[in-house]
Coordinates of all heavy atoms in Angstrom, one line a residue:
K191 N 9.4 -96.4 -88.6 CA 8.7 -95.1 -88.6 C 7.3 -95.3 -89.3 O 7.3 -95.6 -90.5 CB 9.5 -94.1 -89.4 CG 10.8 -93.8 -88.6 CD 11.4 -92.5 -89.0 CE 12.6 -92.2 -88.2 NZ 13.6 -91.4 -88.9
M192 N 6.3 -95.1 -88.5 CA 5.0 -95.4 -89.0 C 4.0 -94.3 -88.7 O 2.8 -94.5 -88.4 CB 4.5 -96.7 -88.4 CG 5.3 -97.9 -88.9 SD 5.0 -99.4 -88.1 CE 5.6 -99.2 -86.5
D193 N 4.5 -93.0 -88.8 CA 3.7 -91.8 -88.4 C 2.6 -91.5 -89.4 O 1.6 -91.0 -89.1 CB 4.6 -90.6 -88.3 CG 5.7 -90.8 -87.2 OD1 5.5 -91.6 -86.3 OD2 6.7 -90.1 -87.3
Y194 N 2.9 -91.9 -90.7 CA 1.9 -91.5 -91.7 C 0.6 -92.3 -91.6 O 0.7 -93.6 -91.5 CB 2.5 -91.6 -93.1 CG 3.3 -90.4 -93.5 CD1 4.2 -89.8 -92.6 CD2 3.2 -89.8 -94.8 CE1 4.9 -88.6 -93.0 CE2 3.9 -88.7 -95.1 CZ 4.8 -88.1 -94.2 OH 5.5 -87.0 -94.6
G195 N -0.5 -91.6 -91.7 CA -1.8 -92.3 -91.6 C -1.9 -93.5 -92.6 O -2.5 -94.5 -92.2
A196 N -1.4 -93.3 -93.8 CA -1.6 -94.3 -94.8 C -0.9 -95.6 -94.4 O -1.4 -96.7 -94.7 CB -1.1 -93.8 -96.2
I197 N 0.2 -95.5 -93.7 CA 0.9 -96.7 -93.3 C 0.1 -97.4 -92.2 O -0.1 -98.6 -92.3 CB 2.3 -96.4 -92.7 CG1 3.2 -95.7 -93.8 CG2 3.0 -97.6 -92.1 CD1 4.6 -95.5 -93.3
R198 N -0.4 -96.6 -91.2 CA -1.1 -97.3 -90.1 C -2.4 -97.9 -90.7 O -2.7 -99.0 -90.3 CB -1.5 -96.2 -89.1 CG -0.2 -95.7 -88.3 CD -0.7 -95.0 -87.0 NE -1.5 -93.9 -87.3 CZ -1.1 -92.7 -87.5 NH1 0.2 -92.4 -87.5 NH2 -1.9 -91.7 -87.8
D199 N -3.1 -97.2 -91.6 CA -4.3 -97.8 -92.2 C -4.0 -99.1 -92.9 O -4.8 -100.1 -92.8 CB -4.9 -96.8 -93.2 CG -5.5 -95.5 -92.5 OD1 -5.5 -95.6 -91.2 OD2 -5.8 -94.6 -93.2
M200 N -2.9 -99.1 -93.7 CA -2.6 -100.3 -94.5 C -2.2 -101.5 -93.6 O -2.7 -102.6 -93.8 CB -1.5 -100.0 -95.5 CG -1.0 -101.2 -96.3 SD -2.4 -101.9 -97.3 CE -2.6 -100.7 -98.6
L201 N -1.4 -101.2 -92.5 CA -1.1 -102.3 -91.6 C -2.3 -102.8 -90.9 O -2.5 -104.0 -90.7 CB 0.0 -101.8 -90.6 CG 1.3 -101.4 -91.1 CD1 2.2 -100.7 -90.1 CD2 2.1 -102.7 -91.6
H202 N -3.2 -101.9 -90.6 CA -4.5 -102.3 -89.9 C -5.3 -103.2 -90.9 O -5.8 -104.3 -90.5 CB -5.2 -101.1 -89.5 CG -6.5 -101.4 -88.8 ND1 -6.6 -101.8 -87.5 CD2 -7.8 -101.3 -89.2 CE1 -7.8 -102.0 -87.2 NE2 -8.6 -101.7 -88.2
E203 N -5.4 -102.7 -92.1 CA -6.2 -103.5 -93.1 C -5.6 -104.9 -93.3 O -6.3 -105.8 -93.5 CB -6.1 -102.7 -94.5 CG -7.0 -103.1 -95.5 CD -6.8 -102.4 -96.8 OE1 -6.6 -101.1 -96.8 OE2 -6.6 -103.0 -97.9
K204 N -4.3 -105.0 -93.3 CA -3.6 -106.3 -93.5 C -3.6 -107.1 -92.2 O -3.0 -108.2 -92.1 CB -2.2 -106.1 -94.0 CG -2.2 -105.6 -95.5 CD -0.8 -105.0 -95.9 CE 0.3 -106.0 -96.1 NZ 0.6 -106.3 -97.5
G205 N -4.1 -106.5 -91.1 CA -4.1 -107.3 -89.8 C -2.7 -107.4 -89.2 O -2.5 -108.4 -88.5
I206 N -1.8 -106.5 -89.5 CA -0.4 -106.6 -89.0 C -0.3 -105.8 -87.7 O -0.3 -104.6 -87.8 CB 0.6 -106.2 -90.0 CG1 0.5 -107.2 -91.2 CG2 2.1 -106.2 -89.5 CD1 1.3 -106.7 -92.5
K207 N -0.1 -106.5 -86.6 CA 0.0 -105.7 -85.3 C 1.4 -105.4 -84.9 O 1.7 -104.4 -84.3 CB -0.7 -106.6 -84.2 CG -2.2 -106.7 -84.3 CD -2.8 -106.9 -83.0 CE -4.3 -106.9 -83.1 NZ -4.9 -108.2 -83.5
H208 N 2.3 -106.3 -85.3 CA 3.8 -106.1 -85.0 C 4.6 -106.1 -86.2 O 5.2 -107.1 -86.6 CB 4.2 -107.2 -84.0 CG 3.4 -107.3 -82.8 ND1 3.4 -106.3 -81.8 CD2 2.4 -108.2 -82.4 CE1 2.5 -106.6 -80.9 NE2 1.9 -107.8 -81.2
P209 N 4.6 -105.0 -86.9 CA 5.3 -105.0 -88.2 C 6.8 -105.1 -88.0 O 7.4 -104.7 -87.0 CB 5.0 -103.6 -88.8 CG 4.4 -102.8 -87.7 CD 4.0 -103.7 -86.6
N210 N 7.5 -105.7 -89.1 CA 8.9 -105.7 -89.1 C 9.4 -105.0 -90.4 O 8.5 -104.5 -91.2 CB 9.5 -107.1 -89.0 CG 8.8 -108.0 -90.1 OD1 8.4 -107.6 -91.1 ND2 8.8 -109.3 -89.8
L211 N 10.7 -105.0 -90.7 CA 11.2 -104.4 -91.9 C 10.4 -104.8 -93.2 O 10.0 -104.1 -94.0 CB 12.6 -104.7 -92.1 CG 13.6 -104.0 -91.2 CD1 15.1 -104.4 -91.6 CD2 13.5 -102.4 -91.3
E212 N 10.3 -106.2 -93.3 CA 9.7 -106.8 -94.4 C 8.2 -106.4 -94.6 O 7.8 -105.9 -95.7 CB 9.8 -108.3 -94.3 CG 9.2 -109.1 -95.4 CD 9.9 -109.0 -96.8 OE1 11.1 -108.8 -96.8 OE2 9.2 -109.1 -97.8
S213 N 7.4 -106.5 -93.5 CA 6.0 -106.2 -93.6 C 5.7 -104.7 -93.8 O 4.8 -104.3 -94.5 CB 5.2 -106.8 -92.5 OG 5.7 -106.3 -91.2
L214 N 6.6 -103.9 -93.2 CA 6.5 -102.4 -93.4 C 6.7 -102.1 -94.9 O 6.0 -101.3 -95.5 CB 7.4 -101.7 -92.5 CG 7.4 -100.2 -92.6 CD1 6.0 -99.5 -92.5 CD2 8.3 -99.5 -91.6
S215 N 7.8 -102.7 -95.4 CA 8.2 -102.4 -96.8 C 7.0 -102.9 -97.7 O 6.6 -102.1 -98.7 CB 9.5 -103.1 -97.1 OG 9.7 -103.1 -98.5
Q216 N 6.5 -104.0 -97.5 CA 5.4 -104.6 -98.3 C 4.2 -103.7 -98.2 O 3.5 -103.5 -99.2 CB 5.0 -106.0 -97.9 CG 6.1 -107.1 -98.3 CD 6.3 -107.0 -99.8 OE1 5.4 -106.8 -100.6 NE2 7.5 -107.2 -100.2
A217 N 3.9 -103.2 -97.0 CA 2.7 -102.3 -96.9 C 2.9 -101.0 -97.7 O 2.0 -100.6 -98.4 CB 2.5 -101.9 -95.4
I218 N 4.1 -100.5 -97.7 CA 4.4 -99.3 -98.5 C 4.3 -99.6 -100.0 O 3.7 -98.8 -100.7 CB 5.7 -98.7 -98.1 CG1 5.6 -98.0 -96.7 CG2 6.3 -97.6 -99.1 CD1 6.8 -97.6 -96.0
I219 N 4.8 -100.7 -100.4 CA 4.7 -101.1 -101.8 C 3.2 -101.1 -102.2 O 2.9 -100.6 -103.3 CB 5.4 -102.4 -102.0 CG1 6.9 -102.2 -101.9 CG2 5.1 -103.0 -103.4 CD1 7.8 -103.5 -101.9
Q220 N 2.4 -101.7 -101.3 CA 1.0 -101.8 -101.7 C 0.3 -100.5 -101.7 O -0.4 -100.2 -102.7 CB 0.3 -102.7 -100.6 CG -0.9 -103.4 -101.2 CD -1.4 -104.5 -100.2 OE1 -0.6 -105.2 -99.6 NE2 -2.7 -104.7 -100.2
I221 N 0.6 -99.6 -100.8 CA 0.0 -98.2 -100.8 C 0.4 -97.5 -102.1 O -0.5 -97.0 -102.8 CB 0.5 -97.3 -99.6 CG1 0.2 -98.0 -98.3 CG2 -0.1 -95.9 -99.7 CD1 0.9 -97.3 -97.1
R222 N 1.7 -97.6 -102.4 CA 2.2 -96.8 -103.6 C 1.6 -97.4 -104.9 O 1.2 -96.7 -105.8 CB 3.7 -96.9 -103.7 CG 4.3 -96.2 -102.5 CD 5.9 -96.1 -102.7 NE 6.2 -95.3 -103.7 CZ 6.7 -94.1 -103.6 NH1 6.9 -93.5 -102.4 NH2 7.0 -93.3 -104.7
T223 N 1.4 -98.7 -104.9 CA 0.9 -99.4 -106.2 C -0.5 -99.0 -106.4 O -1.0 -98.7 -107.5 CB 1.0 -100.9 -106.1 OG1 2.4 -101.2 -105.7 CG2 0.7 -101.6 -107.4
Q224 N -1.3 -98.8 -105.2 CA -2.7 -98.5 -105.4 C -2.9 -97.0 -105.7 O -3.8 -96.6 -106.4 CB -3.4 -98.7 -104.0 CG -3.7 -100.2 -103.8 CD -4.2 -100.4 -102.4 OE1 -4.5 -99.5 -101.6 NE2 -4.4 -101.7 -102.0
K225 N -2.0 -96.1 -105.2 CA -2.2 -94.7 -105.3 C -1.5 -94.0 -106.5 O -2.0 -93.0 -107.0 CB -1.8 -94.0 -104.0 CG -2.2 -92.6 -104.0 CD -2.2 -92.0 -102.6 CE -2.7 -90.6 -102.6 NZ -2.5 -89.9 -101.3
L226 N -0.4 -94.6 -106.9 CA 0.4 -93.9 -108.0 C 0.3 -94.5 -109.3 O 0.1 -95.8 -109.4 CB 1.9 -93.8 -107.6 CG 2.2 -93.0 -106.3 CD1 3.6 -93.3 -105.8 CD2 2.0 -91.5 -106.6
P227 N 0.3 -93.8 -110.4 CA 0.2 -94.4 -111.7 C 1.5 -95.2 -112.0 O 2.6 -94.8 -111.7 CB 0.1 -93.1 -112.6 CG 0.7 -92.0 -111.9 CD 0.5 -92.3 -110.4
D228 N 1.3 -96.3 -112.8 CA 2.4 -97.1 -113.2 C 3.0 -96.4 -114.4 O 2.4 -96.3 -115.4 CB 1.8 -98.5 -113.6 CG 2.9 -99.4 -114.1 OD1 4.1 -99.0 -114.3 OD2 2.6 -100.6 -114.3
P229 N 4.3 -96.0 -114.2 CA 4.9 -95.2 -115.3 C 5.0 -96.0 -116.6 O 5.1 -95.4 -117.7 CB 6.3 -94.9 -114.8 CG 6.2 -95.2 -113.3 CD 5.2 -96.2 -113.1
K230 N 4.9 -97.3 -116.6 CA 5.0 -98.1 -117.8 C 3.7 -97.9 -118.6 O 3.6 -98.1 -119.8 CB 5.2 -99.6 -117.6 CG 6.6 -99.9 -117.0 CD 6.8 -101.4 -117.1 CE 8.0 -101.8 -116.2 NZ 7.7 -102.0 -114.8

Side-chain angles (χ1 to χ4, degrees):
K191 295 202 178 151
M192 293 171 290
D193 301 336
Y194 276 43
I197 297 184
R198 289 197 303 271
D199 293 349
M200 180 56 77
L201 291 170
H202 181 73
E203 191 185 314
K204 288 161 77 99
I206 297 168
K207 291 208 174 82
H208 304 289
N210 55 23
L211 286 181
E212 177 68 31
S213 54
L214 177 54
S215 170
Q216 285 305 323
I218 286 168
I219 290 171
Q220 204 166 329
I221 301 169
R222 295 184 70 102
T223 310
Q224 284 171 4
K225 189 160 181 189
L226 294 168
D228 179 350
K230 291 194 196 84

